[in-house]
Amino acid sequence: MATKDFDYQSFAKNLAQQAQEMVPAEFTDFQKQYVVNTLGNFSMLSGKTLAEDENLHFDAEQSVLITQIIAEWSFHKSVDVIRSGIPQQYWDPIMQKIAYTIFEIAKQTFSQGLPQDKILELIEHHVKKTYVEALGELKNKGAIDEGLMEYAASQSNMDRMAQEMQQQAAQAEAMPEGDNVAGDMQMPVDAGAAPAAFPKVDSKVLKLATVAMLFNKMKQDKVQSILDKFNPEDAQAVIKFMQMPDLPQRVGTANALRCLQEIKTNLPKNTDLNPNKVVLKIRKFASKHSRKEIDTILLSERIGVKRLVFNALEGNYYDKIPPKVASIVASHLCNGV
């Protein structure tokens, strides 16, 4: 039974468009286009098969998930292949083997009705296995040497992106609940200019004014959720400061930066970084939704996020995602759904 209601063409094009924003900046135009085209072509091919093959029995949601898994792994492994330094003529054969493996494992595991975390785990295992085997074949026929094979095998764009997420999360400590607003501030850059109004007032007032500058860069619903945790007098002071059109000039760059550093230093350590607490937080979120609703919510999420959630549902922590990133994901699920 073909999946007639699966618009695979639009979905594959959308995935390719998203990939354009994620391709490593250091890649050449040709390399960037290769990544996008590879993802798009494999997504289109798998989507077409799922939508039109009368022998397959997947619904639209399953077809979307299978296609998305192929797209994500096509993205990561094509980046790995390019970074590995393997000659260009061998890129396509490696990627074709990986895409075929994903499709076959996905068909088998979905048909067997396995839990999605197990499906993703099996696919990840076979992707890595197929990649290493393909490199071994190139080495055995003399196309690459052992050193290049080992270097290529060590490439993992998925792990690299997870590390970058961890670094970004570390920078987010300047405000509660992980908001990385400090990096988005557009403050005056004239460090030599004398601050106009606040240098002689006490540090608490200056800190509240600095917080107001940050809040002006945030979504108002998020601001309100944070202000609710302030005492009423401080909250009112922040609101008044937010209404000052010349607030950045009155605070001054040097004062604002000093206050930000003090705020960051004095923040209590985040107690949600304990993996067990992350698991409990995700399970609490999941308790409010049916399994089908959870699957729908996670359709647009990345493989790592799906693994984190599905492992948590079974009481386990997915340790390939750093606790700080996992905590942010858990908060996103709880607050954003």
Side-chain angles (χ1 to χ4, degrees):
M1 179 182 68
T3 312
K4 299 298 184 183
D5 55 344
F6 175 35
D7 185 0
Y8 68 89
Q9 292 181 324
S10 296
F11 187 58
K13 290 178 181 177
N14 181 261
L15 291 172
Q17 289 174 351
Q18 293 181 42
Q20 291 178 348
E21 305 298 323
M22 300 174 60
V23 180
E26 72 270 16
F27 278 15
T28 65
D29 290 342
F30 172 78
Q31 291 170 335
K32 292 177 180 178
Q33 200 57 50
Y34 179 82
V35 173
V36 173
N37 288 345
T38 299
L39 179 151
N41 291 339
F42 287 152
S43 299
M44 189 73 73
L45 181 61
S46 62
K48 178 179 176 64
T49 302
L50 291 164
E52 299 179 0
D53 191 334
E54 297 291 342
N55 296 317
L56 298 179
H57 304 280
F58 300 121
D59 60 29
E61 288 186 3
Q62 291 173 319
S63 298
V64 165
L65 184 55
I66 292 172
T67 304
Q68 185 179 17
I69 292 171
I70 290 175
E72 292 191 23
W73 276 114
S74 296
F75 176 84
H76 289 301
K77 298 316 292 181
S78 59
V79 170
D80 290 345
V81 166
I82 292 173
R83 281 181 172 152
S84 71
I86 292 174
Q88 180 188 331
Q89 64 264 35
Y90 303 119
W91 294 357
D92 280 350
I94 293 175
M95 294 306 304
Q96 288 165 4
K97 290 177 181 177
I98 290 173
Y100 175 79
T101 296
I102 297 172
F103 193 71
E104 291 302 309
I105 298 299
K107 284 198 303 182
Q108 295 174 25
T109 53
F110 274 92
S111 296
Q112 294 169 8
L114 295 181
Q116 288 191 18
D117 62 322
K118 299 300 181 185
I119 292 175
L120 295 173
E121 183 178 347
L122 283 169
I123 289 175
E124 180 177 0
H125 168 76
H126 283 281
V127 166
K128 293 179 177 179
K129 181 173 180 287
T130 301
Y131 179 57
V132 171
E133 288 176 349
L135 296 176
E137 291 175 5
L138 291 177
K139 187 257 183 183
N140 291 337
K141 69 179 185 180
I144 60 175
D145 60 24
E146 186 170 353
L148 181 55
M149 179 189 71
E150 292 178 354
Y151 178 73
S154 71
Q155 298 298 310
S156 177
N157 187 62
M158 179 173 285
D159 291 343
R160 185 166 178 167
M161 289 183 68
Q163 291 173 357
E164 290 174 354
M165 288 175 64
Q166 184 177 19
Q167 292 171 358
Q168 292 171 2
Q171 297 171 0
E173 288 184 339
M175 286 298 295
E177 300 186 19
D179 291 287
N180 188 16
V181 293
D184 296 329
M185 289 178 58
Q186 300 296 322
M187 295 194 303
V189 296
D190 184 5
F198 286 105
K200 294 183 180 180
V201 298
D202 64 61
S203 61
K204 179 179 180 180
V205 173
L206 192 55
K207 288 176 184 177
L208 292 175
T210 302
V211 168
M213 292 171 59
L214 297 177
F215 283 180
N216 279 329
K217 301 296 180 181
M218 295 169 56
K219 293 181 179 179
Q220 292 308 302
D221 58 342
K222 195 68 170 178
V223 169
Q224 189 59 54
S225 68
I226 299 175
L227 281 176
D228 288 343
K229 302 174 184 177
F230 284 44
N231 70 52
E233 290 184 1
D234 289 346
Q236 285 300 317
V238 170
I239 292 172
K240 289 180 179 179
F241 285 136
M242 291 176 67
Q243 295 171 351
M244 292 183 179
D246 59 344
L247 183 62
Q249 289 76 22
R250 298 183 67 184
V251 172
T253 303
N255 283 321
L257 292 176
R258 176 169 58 83
C259 286
L260 285 174
Q261 185 58 46
E262 289 183 16
I263 292 171
K264 180 177 180 180
T265 301
N266 294 324
L267 277 176
K269 297 300 181 182
N270 193 336
T271 58
D272 288 337
L273 298 187
N274 184 299
N276 291 332
K277 291 188 177 182
V278 171
V279 169
L280 290 174
K281 198 170 186 177
I282 293 175
R283 288 172 69 92
K284 182 178 180 181
F285 149 77
S287 68
K288 301 176 182 178
H289 302 276
S290 67
R291 186 55 184 256
K292 185 174 182 180
E293 288 174 335
I294 294 174
D295 291 344
T296 301
I297 291 169
L298 295 177
L299 277 178
S300 61
E301 298 292 349
R302 302 199 177 283
I303 291 175
V305 173
K306 294 186 179 77
R307 292 285 298 275
L308 176 68
V309 174
F310 294 137
N311 274 267
L313 294 182
E314 296 186 359
N316 302 315
Y317 179 72
Y318 181 53
D319 58 11
K320 290 190 177 181
I321 292 185
K324 183 177 288 293
V325 177
S327 178
I328 293 173
V329 170
S331 295
H332 164 72
L333 291 172
C334 292
N335 299 330
V337 178

